[in-house]
Amino acid sequence: LYAGDFFVGECAAFCNDAAPSNNLLSIVKKYETEFTWYFFAYKNSPAFRIFQDAGLHVRELHEKSNIEDLLKNISTDIVIVGTSWQNRTHLEFIKKARELHTPSIALLEHWVNYRERFGYPQEGWQENIADFVTLNDEVGYAIAQELGFCNAIKLRFEALLGDMQRYQTCKNEEENRVLFISEPTKKVAFTTFGDENFWGFNEFEVCEEICKNMDKFSTSCLTIRLHPSDEIQKYDYLLQKYPNLSIEIENPYEIPLINSLCKNRVIVGIDGFVLFEAMVLGKLSISLIPSSKRECVVPIFEQNKITTLEDLKLSDFEVKSSIDEINFFGIDFASMVKKIANEKK
């Protein structure tokens, strides 16, 4: 791909978490022939499995991997990193890219911890920021601007755009079912704060609150979609505890998210991205957080953020598609690369 006289042909990418990996994968599929791609990930990470399941060759990282040598060996033109506030390897990729005078791009998503992903509040954290950061929706971009990220780029949300296209072909498959989006609340609370009950609730309590109130949704059919880091048997105990319910447990590595969203009428979660995608598609999307110690940061309708299912009335919630807003947001990946190449010349 040429940007004036500047040629960009080789892209190195490091990801750890699922969200940036899925979005990057959608970009790779769209620009498979325009660029040569090199993927780096730890073998036990969601990214490694996502890339490998897609048939991509992934270079396995180890604790002692020399990132500078890895980048030198492939003579990459650009370095792309998915960001995480619990894993810090992306900072090393950004640092080594800068030392090699190679442009770096950091993918930001999920509307939280943008500064923390680069080491805030430690002194000098701004030096860790990539040459450019990308955002995929107006709310995320506004947050980045407010936090002082002057190098923010609006990038088309290829993963969501792809799901939006697929939704048009499967939306008629909807059943009267409730979908619960699991997340590792207990594990994250313990890892981050040293206390499994730091937020005053956990994912099991939220799921059981749904089980106890399925009559409010006028159905006995519940789907539990596991988080990529969940153990497969995590919710198996519910099958015996609630025999009157028809409970299906989904493996996220086997069933595409869009299939799950098409099939289920109501989507209930805690604080995950899926709630945003469900809202964009025009599904009833509800955040259930039974505690005042944590707020839902996902930009769904405020009246759809609740603390209990007691006295639930579905008519109280707002449902409205925002497909058009996503369709018209941002520039495509190739245009972004040209923009960056021109600025770095």
Side-chain angles (χ1 to χ4, degrees):
L1 180 69
Y2 284 92
D5 297 326
F6 191 86
F7 178 73
V8 180
E10 305 201 351
C11 298
F14 165 76
C15 286
N16 186 79
D17 297 355
S21 303
N22 282 319
N23 199 31
L24 183 60
L25 178 59
S26 296
I27 292 171
V28 172
K29 288 178 179 178
K30 187 172 181 179
Y31 297 100
E32 199 164 3
T33 57
E34 284 90 339
F35 302 94
T36 300
W37 297 89
Y38 300 92
F39 302 96
F40 298 93
Y42 293 105
K43 192 168 185 178
N44 63 347
S45 69
F48 190 93
R49 183 164 182 177
I50 288 168
F51 291 148
Q52 195 170 60
D53 287 352
L56 304 176
H57 174 61
V58 191
R59 288 162 170 76
E60 183 181 343
L61 291 179
H62 305 276
E63 285 186 14
K64 297 182 179 180
S65 293
N66 188 315
I67 293 172
E68 183 175 359
D69 287 346
L70 292 174
L71 294 178
K72 282 182 177 179
N73 288 339
I74 59 177
S75 301
T76 185
D77 299 303
I78 202 162
V79 172
I80 304 169
V81 297
T83 56
S84 171
W85 61 284
Q86 296 190 76
N87 180 290
R88 288 288 180 260
T89 303
H90 61 281
L91 299 182
E92 190 66 17
F93 271 89
I94 293 169
K95 178 182 177 182
K96 295 305 177 184
R98 186 163 292 142
E99 292 175 359
L100 296 170
H101 306 288
T102 302
S104 60
I105 304 169
L107 310 177
L108 296 180
E109 79 297 310
H110 281 182
W111 311 282
V112 290
N113 300 314
Y114 287 175
R115 294 182 299 180
E116 285 78 359
R117 302 177 201 205
F118 299 103
Y120 176 87
Q122 295 177 2
E123 187 175 347
W125 68 273
Q126 293 94 334
E127 297 174 10
N128 298 328
I129 300 174
D131 295 325
F132 302 90
V133 299
T134 67
L135 291 305
N136 301 120
D137 66 278
E138 289 290 358
V139 174
Y141 184 76
I143 293 172
Q145 292 286 92
E146 188 176 331
L147 291 174
F149 286 90
C150 56
N151 57 353
I153 295 176
K154 295 181 178 182
L155 180 65
R156 285 178 66 75
F157 203 160
E158 295 296 347
L160 182 50
L161 288 166
D163 277 357
M164 282 160 47
Q165 287 183 334
R166 287 186 285 274
Y167 181 67
Q168 300 308 316
T169 64
C170 72
K171 60 184 179 181
N172 293 329
E173 299 173 7
E174 180 179 281
E175 299 176 13
N176 187 21
R177 304 185 62 90
V178 174
L179 172 65
F180 170 62
I181 305 298
S182 176
E183 67 162 56
T185 308
K186 286 179 68 173
K187 189 182 298 183
V188 172
F190 182 77
T191 301
T192 309
F193 305 106
D195 179 4
E196 287 185 344
N197 199 44
F198 179 82
W199 287 303
F201 75 98
N202 60 55
E203 66 269 40
F204 298 99
E205 292 168 359
V206 173
C207 191
E208 291 211 40
E209 170 87 353
I210 296 169
C211 289
K212 295 171 184 174
N213 290 278
M214 285 295 287
D215 59 306
K216 306 261 182 41
F217 298 102
S218 301
T219 181
S220 60
C221 300
L222 173 66
T223 303
I224 300 173
R225 184 174 178 86
L226 298 175
H227 186 272
S229 65
D230 282 345
E231 300 80 12
I232 294 296
Q233 300 84 12
K234 181 172 180 175
Y235 295 99
D236 283 0
Y237 76 97
L238 296 175
L239 301 176
Q240 291 184 326
K241 189 169 183 178
Y242 297 95
N244 294 330
L245 298 181
S246 173
I247 299 177
E248 293 182 6
I249 299 176
E250 282 186 354
N251 184 336
Y253 292 107
E254 295 178 356
I255 300 177
L257 172 61
I258 190 60
N259 291 24
S260 198
L261 292 177
C262 284
K263 183 177 178 180
N264 294 271
R265 182 171 62 92
V266 180
I267 317 301
V268 184
I270 297 170
D271 198 23
F273 163 77
V274 179
L275 294 177
F276 177 74
E277 177 163 341
M279 180 197 70
V280 169
L281 296 175
K283 291 280 186 174
L284 174 49
S285 178
I286 301 171
S287 166
L288 176 59
I289 300 181
S291 171
S292 60
K293 295 182 179 180
R294 181 171 163 184
E295 294 182 4
C296 174
V297 299
V298 180
I300 62 173
F301 301 113
E302 284 302 314
Q303 61 264 50
N304 293 19
K305 300 177 181 181
I306 60 176
T307 59
T308 179
L309 294 179
E310 189 177 347
D311 301 322
L312 175 75
K313 293 180 182 178
L314 296 185
S315 58
D316 291 339
F317 297 109
E318 185 166 350
V319 179
K320 182 182 178 183
S321 169
S322 52
I323 285 177
D324 287 345
E325 286 89 332
I326 298 298
N327 264 327
F328 294 111
F329 182 87
I331 60 176
D332 61 40
F333 181 78
S335 298
M336 178 187 72
V337 170
K338 287 182 179 180
K339 171 182 170 68
I340 289 173
N342 282 323
E343 290 191 18
K344 296 295 286 186
K345 281 169 63 175

